[in-house]
Structure formats: structure tokens, C-alpha cells
Amino acid sequence: MIPAGRRIWGLMYRHIALYRRSWPRLLELAYWPTLQMCIWGFTASFFAGRTGSAAAVTIGGLLGAVLLWEVALRSQMGVAISFLEEIWSRNLGHVFVSPLRPWELVAALIAMSILRTLAGVLPAVLLAWLLYAFNMFSLGPALILFTINLMVMGWWVSLGVVSLILRHGAGAEALAWSVLFGITPFAAVFYPVSILPPYLQPVALALPAAHVFEGMRAVLAGSAFPWGELAAASGLNLLWLAAATLLFARQFHAARVRGALLSIGE
Amino acid sequence: MDAITVEALTKRYGDTLAVDNIAFAVAPGATIGLLGGNGAGKTTTISMLLGLLVPTAGRITVLGHDMATDRFAALARMNFSSPYVALPHRLTVGENLRVYAHLYNIRHTERRIAELADQLNLGALLNRPAGELSAGQKTRVALAKSLINRPDVLLLDEPTASLDPDTGDLVRTWLERYRAESGCAILLASHNMAEVERLCDHVLMMKQGRIVDRGSPADLLERYGRDTLEAVFLDIARGTGEAA
């Protein structure tokens, strides 16, 4: 294995070993997505019963939205919480005096985010199929493209959160759980962008998630594949990812100037 | 070529001058003691040597690599131990050492861990979570971590703090042996004067961010007319004595 790959694996191994020894952490991964699926599944069933022929689309739209939004949430938390684990264990000093490059740290956190997302969302996908006969994979190849875009969105949001933790210390750690929930109203997860007041629509359209969910609803309604929405989501993700990477690099350097890497948990 | 070269090193936090224009060198195979009271600038100096902290001014070269531009090449051949930086508590000792073997790209990981376990008497601890160890056991594990890559430069921040005399002696003996076998350069920050007298070839006395005196332990004892390094330390810290 090349040295960079070995170092990335080293940090992943540290987190995998942690999960192997901590069943509450494993349970927490799947707990919230599964709970969300149950609540929204029954809510959708209730409303679908009153809307007659639109029932399948209503249930499909809501359950698809719940599952795909969980992808973004788990992906974002996967990076941010893995970074926080290093702070909580007061291990950052050892990590940053090893030859691990900052980009390798980010790569390891992203790899852990993928594993955490799979462990968190797949049980909910299975439950949606068992309880509501909703097959997430009926979205076809679009599912993969939507999922990738939402995961990338989770990563750049979490890079922003990690940057704030580097800047403000543990005081900013609550953002690791809450920041994407704050974005939810503007992300058009459960309703189209057109529902939002006109002055908020530009905010929604600046978020890749809004384009993903508009695309998802189009696919579920049987419309043509929404290449335009996909291109918009991908382009926005590239822009936001570049901005978040720049912010992370600047805050990492600033933390080295302030001497915050050793005292960040305080 | 010196293992560590420090030139005109300065670190300023706002109005506070934490390290003030210090310079020193550490030859391969030498052990240099960094002494001073709390807030003298020892940990700040070590943090800059490790690349954790960016100096305000000055230059650090480790094993021929400029730490401002090429720190990762140096970090692969350095290591560090401090009781104030922990290892993940839930991971076992073996898992922790495996993590760092990967981070330092160590070949034959399991063989290296077995060697260290044998040398530092860690065999019975390898499958125990790091968080369940006593202070002395944790220090031995931290030392094993700091030696996992057979470093050419080792930075130790109070390596025997809170250890009982027996464990402290074991650690010092092991450091002497490792230095003799490997030619490793060691920079040791410690408040234990007996330890410094035993291990160090040369001592840097720091006060308020500056190196206020330097020399071998024997030179310092003679210059200050004292019997112990602790008395010399107190003279310098309190400003009560003067070198002859």
C-alpha cells in the first residue's frame, strides 16, 4: 500500500476499532434514520389515504426524501463526529505530529463518513421496503447520482463545521448535529422550491440539495430524467466544496498559528 | 549535520512573548534538557519543533528538513511523547500501536509491536483498553507509541511525570538504551532535575521565553557553585544566584 493510503487506512482503522468496541455508537448510527423512516412513513400513509390516486407518489416522494436527506445528514455527521472523536479522546496532538497530511485526514474522515452513512441508512431503506413496500432502488441509476451529490454536500458542510471547531474549539461542536437541520427548510426536501416565498427561493437554489430533491420528485412522477437539476447540483457542489476546502485550509493554518491543535478540546 | 537546528526562534501571542529569539542545536545521539519553570516556553518550543505551532520568526531544521516548508519529511523520522496528550481510551493498547504503525508506515507491524511489548514489558497489556491502564502503564504505552517508527529525533515533554520511582527508572533506562543503540537525538523537557542530570549531555535553562543559561550539568553545577541541578534551577528561576 502506498504511504498515503496506509496513513488514511490507519486513521480509518482507529475509528473502525472504536465502533467494534462500542455498541451504543453502532446503534446510534441507525437509530435516527430508522426512527425518521417510521414517523414519516406512517404520516405519509395517513395523508396518502386521503388523496386517493396520488397516494403512491405522495408516499414515494416523502419516503424518498426522508431517505435521501438522511444520506446528507449521515454523511455530514460522519465527517464531523469522526473529527470530534479525536478531540474527545485528546488524541489530536499525536495525530498531527505524525506524517499524516491534512488532506489525508480529510480523506480518512470522508471514508468513515461513507461507512457510517451505509450503516445508518441501509437499515432504514430495508424498513421502508418491508413496512411501506417502498423500493428506494426504483429510482434507478438516478439514485446513485442523487446519493453522490447529497454525500458531497454533507462533506462540504462538515468541512465548514470542522473549520468552525478549529476556530472556536469545542464550543462549536453542537453544529456537528444541528447545522444541516437548519438548512432543511431551504433544501426543498419535502416540498418543491416553488412553495417557498420568492425571496427565499434563491437561497434554496444555491443549495445542491434543492436540485437533487426537485430531480427526485420528477423521477418519481415519471418525468424525463432531470439532467439540468443534476448538473446544477453537481456544479454547486464543486463550488461549495472548493470554498469549504479553502476555509478548512485557512482555519487549519490559523489553528497552527494560535497553538489551538493541542488545546482545542478545552 | 545536527539533528535539530533552531535559529532566532520567536513565538508571540498578541502582546505576550512566549519564546524570545532562542537558538540551539542538538547533535545526533545527544540528549538535551530543556528546563524552566511553568510558562518558561518549553512546551511552546517543543510544539514549534513538532510543527504543531507556527513560529512568529526564526527557523527550525530537523534532520536537514526545514519545518516551515518540508515538515512531513521530518515528522516521519521524529516522534513525541507527553503525559498531556492521550491515546484513544476505548482502543486496546495493541490497536493504538497498530494505528500509529499505519500512520508512520511501519513495515512488519505485528513484529514491531511484539518487539516493543517485549522491551517495555507491555505483553500483558496489549489486549486491554488504554483507558483502563494505570498512569505508569499509560506512560510505557505512550513511550512505545513514540518509538514505533524508531525515530532519529525524539521529543519528550515530562516523560516521567506522575510515575513511581521504579517505573520512572525503567523509562530512563530504556531511553538510555535506545539512544545508545540508535544514535537518536533527544530533547527532554522535564521538571525532574535528577532525571536531567542522569540523561542529559547539555542543558538549556529557559526563563520568560529566553534561554538564560546553558551548559553540561557538571558545568552548570560548577558555575553556580551548587551541589544539585535543582539548586541551580532555583537560582535561575528566582534570580537569587549568579553564575561565576
Side-chain angles (χ1 to χ4, degrees), chain A residues 41-111:
Chain A
F42 289 123
T43 307
S45 298
F46 169 70
F47 283 113
R50 298 179 164 222
T51 52
S53 59
V57 175
T58 306
I59 292 183
L62 273 172
L63 294 187
V66 168
L67 290 171
L68 281 177
W69 193 231
E70 281 298 327
V71 167
L73 287 167
R74 297 300 122 189
S75 160
Q76 181 261 312
M77 287 186 197
V79 170
I81 292 176
S82 298
F83 183 74
L84 282 171
E85 292 278 8
E86 302 294 354
I87 292 177
W88 294 331
S89 61
R90 293 172 55 232
N91 187 42
L92 272 183
H94 285 312
V95 169
F96 287 135
V97 302
S98 79
L100 185 83
R101 277 69 166 168
W103 76 263
E104 293 165 355
L105 168 79
V106 172
L109 296 178
I110 285 176

Side-chain angles (χ1 to χ4, degrees), chain B residues 52-72:
Chain B
L52 282 172
L53 189 59
V54 178
T56 306
R59 185 164 185 245
I60 299 169
T61 310
V62 177
L63 301 165
H65 302 283
D66 187 329
M67 290 302 282
T69 56
D70 193 20
R71 74 179 190 278
F72 294 110

Side-chain angles (χ1 to χ4, degrees), chain A residues 10 28 64 70 88 111 115 130 135 149 161 165-167 170 178 184 186 234 236 246 255 262:
Chain A
E28 186 272 336
E70 281 298 327
W88 294 331
L115 295 182
L130 289 175
N135 181 6
N149 268 290
V161 172
I165 293 169
L166 285 171
R167 177 68 186 84
S178 60
T184 309
F186 314 108
S234 305
L236 284 167
L246 192 64
L262 273 176

Side-chain angles (χ1 to χ4, degrees), chain B residues 11-54:
Chain B
K11 182 64 189 180
R12 181 183 286 279
Y13 297 105
D15 294 335
T16 307
L17 200 53
V19 171
D20 183 7
N21 194 29
I22 65 171
F24 63 89
V26 185
T31 301
I32 303 292
L34 203 54
L35 302 191
N38 296 325
K42 306 185 299 294
T43 301
T44 303
T45 302
I46 287 182
S47 297
M48 287 191 280
L49 286 167
L50 288 164
L52 282 172
L53 189 59
V54 178

Side-chain angles (χ1 to χ4, degrees), chain B residues 56-115:
Chain B
T56 306
R59 185 164 185 245
I60 299 169
T61 310
V62 177
L63 301 165
H65 302 283
D66 187 329
M67 290 302 282
T69 56
D70 193 20
R71 74 179 190 278
F72 294 110
L75 287 173
R77 296 172 57 196
M78 299 168 71
N79 217 311
F80 159 71
S81 180
S82 165
Y84 309 114
V85 182
L87 293 168
H89 282 193
R90 280 194 165 269
L91 270 59
T92 65
V93 170
E95 287 168 342
N96 268 303
L97 293 177
R98 224 164 276 133
V99 168
Y100 285 95
H102 290 309
L103 291 182
Y104 285 92
N105 197 28
I106 305 304
R107 287 185 184 180
H108 310 299
T109 300
E110 296 307 318
R111 192 191 305 167
R112 180 63 183 147
I113 291 172
E115 273 173 18

